[in-house]
Amino acid sequence: MTVVFVNTLRVTGSAEDLERIYADVAAFFSAQPGLLRYQLLRSTGDPSVYVNIAEWRDLEAFRTATSQEAFRTALRVSAVSTGEPHVCDVVFAGAGPGEEREPRGPGKAPAGGRR
């Protein structure tokens, strides 16, 4: 079952350093089996707040990637930020008109987003 890693980051160093480190970490994860997609978002209301979202095929793929020596010893965004990480199950998902829809979660919501 798909899992999503969500980490709200508050910059304690420079935003440029955070983005550079994130790019390096993203390059590592992009090569890992099971990573479906990721995004680094910056708040429009508070530019010191970023949100990292990474969708994984399953919890095992996420754990395998994050347990690798190359990841555990690499410079991480925690060097320049504090974080609030969560691994989440997808409960409900949808898309807007004309977008590809793949409802997920218990009971599989019908296309269109509502159950």
Side-chain angles (χ1 to χ4, degrees):
M1 173 182 271
T2 302
V3 296
V4 179
F5 174 76
V6 179
N7 193 2
T8 302
L9 304 165
R10 180 162 297 275
V11 177
T12 58
S14 83
E16 293 79 17
D17 286 344
L18 182 138
E19 292 177 18
R20 179 184 48 77
I21 294 166
Y22 184 89
D24 291 343
V25 173
F28 168 79
F29 279 127
S30 292
Q32 301 308 305
L35 178 67
L36 302 176
R37 63 191 59 83
Y38 66 89
Q39 292 181 305
L40 179 64
L41 312 171
R42 185 175 49 210
S43 170
T44 57
D46 183 349
S48 71
V49 174
Y50 286 75
V51 179
N52 172 28
I53 302 171
E55 188 173 346
W56 291 83
R57 178 186 65 231
D58 54 38
L59 186 56
E60 182 180 344
F62 173 74
R63 287 183 175 159
T64 298
T66 57
S67 68
Q68 292 187 38
E69 182 72 15
F71 174 73
R72 291 186 295 116
T73 60
L75 183 60
R76 306 247 283 280
V77 294
S78 59
V80 292
S81 67
T82 59
E84 188 178 322
H86 302 276
V87 177
C88 307
D89 290 325
V90 176
V91 176
F92 186 72
E99 295 298 315
E100 198 172 307
R101 296 176 183 173
E102 183 184 333
R104 288 171 263 164
K108 304 285 187 195
R114 296 194 113 156
R115 346 184 199 189

